[in-house]
């Protein structure tokens, strides 16, 4: 077991058991004629989108897990998504998703038999643990699939696809946690310099023109967005962090803030590489 796998165990987000892809993997507790159907929509849905070209150290991986865990609560939903380069088989893919039922209203509980209500409450008590096992397994699978050897990184095209997932969500609140260096490297543009060994100081306005010319804006449907890992290079996941010029990072942040605003989202925090405040 790797060091960060132990951290997931400590956080309760990785059970250690075998895991396979799990879409809509949490059975509803309301699926019973004696209990009735669920009412209302999700309060919050969290999308954790992991760029598999971005290598994170153990601390940043743990930060992702720690920021996901509070959302595995009744009335919420989650999706764990991976992305990187379309041309090399690392396309955008939902690894796991689930929805946790909202508690039953007090007036409805009065109309349900004690036997059915006991089964319902037992089911509701199991849902957070099941969600943690599914989400934790998906995070581990996503991080195990990361590589610094992937030549391209279609961040813009991938975010357009992820935006569509967010737009289609019916949750009252939509949050996207982007785990990525946010460094585009495709036929559209490259944010790298020195053959990939450093970050290029981009011109945000010119890069936005390229985005619009290539029709790469998305529609996040009003989501709030947080970023973990901005500006990381592949070497950073293996050794100490190299220096980042503040002006270069500011230009990168300005571009993505504009991109997200034009794509119907709000950039809450741009972690360079870590978040200073928890996702909320």
């Amino acid at each position: 077991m790797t060091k960060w796998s132990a951290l997931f165990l400590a956080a309760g987000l990785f059970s250690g058991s075998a895991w396979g892809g799990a879409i809509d993997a949490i059975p509803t507790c309301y699926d019973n004629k004696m209990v009735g159907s669920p009412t209302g929509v999700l309060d919050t849905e969290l999308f954790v989108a992991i760029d598999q070209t971005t290598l994170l150290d153990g601390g940043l991986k743990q930060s992702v897990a720690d920021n996901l865990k509070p959302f595995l609560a009744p009335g919420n939903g989650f999706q764990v998504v991976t992305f990187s380069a379309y041309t090399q088989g690392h396309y955008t893919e939902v690894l796991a998703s689930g929805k946790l039922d909202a508690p039953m209203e007090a007036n409805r509980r009065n109309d349900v038999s004690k036997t059915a209500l006991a089964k319902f409450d037992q089911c509701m008590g199991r849902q957070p643990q099941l969600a943690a096992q599914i989400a934790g397994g998906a995070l581990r699978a996503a991080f195990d699939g990361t590589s610094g050897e992937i030549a391209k990184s279609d961040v813009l095209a991938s975010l357009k696809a992820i935006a569509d997932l967010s737009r289609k969500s019916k949750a009252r609140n939509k949050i996207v946690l982007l785990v990525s260096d946010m460094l585009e490297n495709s036929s559209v543009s490259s944010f790298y310099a020195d053959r990939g060994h450093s970050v290029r100081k981009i011109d945000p306005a010119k890069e936005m023109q390229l985005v619009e010319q290539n029709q790469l804006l998305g529609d996040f449907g009003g989501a709030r967005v947080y970023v973990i890992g901005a500006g990381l290079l592949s070497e950073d996941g293996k050794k100490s962090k190299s220096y980042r010029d503040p002006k270069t990072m500011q230009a990168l942040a300005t571009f993505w803030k504009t991109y997200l605003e034009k794509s119907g989202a709000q950039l809450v925090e741009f972690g360079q590489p870590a978040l200073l405040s928890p996702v909320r």
Side-chain angles (χ1 to χ4, degrees), residues 78-271:
F78 68 91
Q79 294 193 41
V80 178
V81 185
T82 57
F83 69 95
S84 60
Y86 288 168
T87 58
Q88 295 175 271
H90 293 265
Y91 45 83
T92 305
E93 179 182 9
V94 178
L95 291 189
S97 67
K99 298 178 178 65
L100 288 80
D101 290 318
M104 188 184 301
E105 300 92 333
N107 60 340
R108 286 185 62 181
R109 292 180 68 89
N110 294 332
D111 297 328
V112 178
S113 71
K114 290 185 178 180
T115 300
L117 200 58
K119 291 181 179 179
F120 172 82
D121 290 341
Q122 186 179 43
C123 175
M124 288 288 290
R126 288 196 299 262
Q127 278 195 345
Q129 181 180 0
L130 176 60
Q133 292 173 348
I134 293 166
L139 289 186
R140 183 185 182 187
F143 290 138
D144 281 351
T146 59
S147 170
E149 304 303 319
I150 302 173
K152 298 293 183 180
S153 183
D154 295 303
V155 180
L156 287 163
S158 298
L159 292 194
K160 184 176 181 179
I162 292 164
D164 200 45
L165 293 175
S166 176
R167 179 184 59 81
K168 291 177 180 178
S169 171
K170 297 179 181 178
R172 295 185 183 93
N173 303 295
K174 292 175 277 192
I175 301 174
V176 178
L177 176 58
L178 292 177
V179 185
S180 173
D181 56 21
M182 304 304 286
L183 300 175
E184 177 75 5
N185 185 22
S186 68
S187 60
V188 175
S189 184
S190 176
F191 292 179
Y192 289 95
D194 189 25
R195 297 183 180 181
H197 294 294
S198 62
V199 181
R200 177 170 68 89
K201 183 181 178 182
I202 63 172
D203 182 330
K206 289 184 179 180
E207 296 300 332
M208 189 54 58
Q209 287 178 351
L210 290 173
V211 168
E212 293 174 338
Q213 288 170 7
N214 288 275
Q215 300 181 333
L216 288 172
L217 289 173
D219 180 1
F220 283 86
R224 303 196 306 280
V225 178
Y226 296 76
V227 174
I228 289 178
L232 281 177
L233 299 171
S234 59
E235 293 85 355
D236 294 334
K238 305 172 185 176
K239 58 185 180 182
S240 61
K241 309 295 181 291
S242 57
Y243 174 73
R244 295 289 181 273
D245 173 47
K247 292 183 179 180
T248 298
M249 293 305 297
Q250 182 58 50
L252 185 66
T254 297
F255 167 78
W256 285 112
K257 183 176 186 294
T258 303
Y259 172 86
L260 289 167
E261 287 175 349
K262 287 179 175 287
S263 297
Q266 175 195 359
L267 178 60
V268 180
E269 188 175 343
F270 196 68

